[in-house]
Amino acid sequence: EPEVTQTPSHQVTQMGQEVILRCVPISNHLYFYWYRQILGQKVEFLVSFYNNEISEKSEIFDDQFSVERPDGSNFTLKIRSTKLEDSAMYFCASMVAGAYNEQFFGPGTRLTVL
Amino acid sequence: AQSVTQPDIHITVSEGASLELRCNYSYGATPYLFWYVQSPGQGLQLLLKYFSGDTLVQGIKGFEAEFKRSQSSFNLRKPSVHWSDAAEYFCAVAPSGSARQLTFGSGTQLTVLP
């Protein structure tokens, strides 16, 4: 069964460093998402991406965040200058086109900012 | 803004007992409704979804949920719990018309006693 994959599974970085989290969505999916879950808190929407542009973003997704689909298979989330509060589990999700569909989630990348 | 409430942070049941996890939502119109499960170290797996039609929906692993418009609820049920059902369960909503931005509840941690 096709699945969403994410790399790395765990990333440790120093505050102020840039990180790139990578996702490979399911191949025939057209909608892509990033969510995050700070330890002990809710899963929160960050951004959705369709047709090579951001379609929606939350207030969390500020100028330090960016997303890209560089090569038609990968979908990346970049955090330019990490802060301690960026420590969280980041989930990628994808969805096929059409109204009555659901998002499929990857296993997540745990980001730890020291 | 839409919101999702899962009033039970933690539920403990004995193996073989029945289970009901509560979910209430606040939304202007009937949203799309989902239940996801997260096992330790795993991503979010979709258990079931409601878009329209029959208000009792069947999902994977023997789970079902009932949409009650009058109560703005979408409670998850299972008649006989297995030890492998121990996990965290998240209710989520999305605007009807397209399952785009998901809003998650805070989750219910399920413990299953032998």
Side-chain angles (χ1 to χ4, degrees):
Chain A
E1 184 176 329
E3 58 184 20
V4 177
T5 60
Q6 290 185 242
T7 55
S9 57
H10 193 184
Q11 172 103 37
V12 180
T13 190
Q14 295 291 324
M15 188 171 56
Q17 294 297 302
E18 174 184 286
V19 295
I20 297 176
L21 309 183
R22 291 183 167 79
C23 168
V24 179
I26 295 172
S27 62
N28 64 333
H29 287 191
L30 298 179
Y31 294 83
F32 312 112
Y33 308 84
W34 284 101
Y35 292 81
R36 79 172 185 189
Q37 184 182 28
I38 295 172
L39 189 63
Q41 297 187 23
K42 294 184 182 186
V43 177
E44 302 172 289
F45 169 79
L46 292 178
V47 66
S48 60
F49 191 86
Y50 171 71
N51 200 26
N52 281 320
E53 61 183 26
I54 291 173
S55 46
E56 288 181 292
K57 61 182 181 179
S58 71
E59 59 190 22
I60 302 169
F61 194 86
D62 61 22
D63 291 345
Q64 72 161 338
F65 291 92
S66 62
V67 289
E68 193 178 29
R69 189 155 161 79
D71 56 13
S73 61
N74 289 283
F75 179 52
T76 62
L77 174 69
K78 181 191 290 186
I79 309 175
R80 290 190 183 83
S81 178
T82 50
K83 305 171 188 171
L84 295 176
E85 54 265 36
D86 293 327
S87 294
M89 180 74 87
Y90 288 81
F91 292 105
C92 173
S94 68
M95 187 176 77
V96 71
Y100 299 107
N101 289 295
E102 70 269 16
Q103 296 177 27
F104 289 82
F105 282 78
T109 292
R110 179 161 296 286
L111 176 65
T112 301
V113 182
L114 303 176
Chain B
Q2 61 267 33
S3 66
V4 181
T5 302
Q6 293 181 247
D8 304 305
I9 297 172
H10 195 174
I11 283 184
T12 300
V13 298
S14 297
E15 191 169 19
S18 63
L19 172 70
E20 182 168 25
L21 302 182
R22 296 182 290 166
C23 173
N24 293 94
Y25 66 90
S26 174
Y27 202 73
T30 299
Y32 290 173
L33 298 157
F34 307 85
W35 275 99
Y36 284 86
V37 61
Q38 184 181 29
S39 299
Q42 306 283 317
L44 296 160
Q45 181 183 23
L46 181 72
L47 285 175
L48 45 78
K49 60 195 177 190
Y50 173 79
F51 294 128
S52 66
D54 193 345
T55 56
L56 184 64
V57 293
Q58 302 297 321
I60 62 171
K61 304 184 181 186
F63 285 92
E64 67 178 26
E66 186 172 12
F67 167 60
K68 293 186 177 179
R69 186 190 309 273
S70 61
Q71 298 176 19
S72 296
S73 69
F74 188 57
N75 294 347
L76 181 72
R77 301 194 295 246
K78 186 170 185 178
S80 177
V81 169
H82 188 262
W83 64 267
S84 60
D85 294 324
E88 187 148 26
Y89 292 80
F90 293 94
C91 181
V93 303
S96 60
S98 176
R100 50 185 200 268
Q101 176 177 327
L102 289 172
T103 299
F104 283 85
S106 53
T108 298
Q109 182 69 47
L110 175 66
T111 298
V112 181
L113 300 177

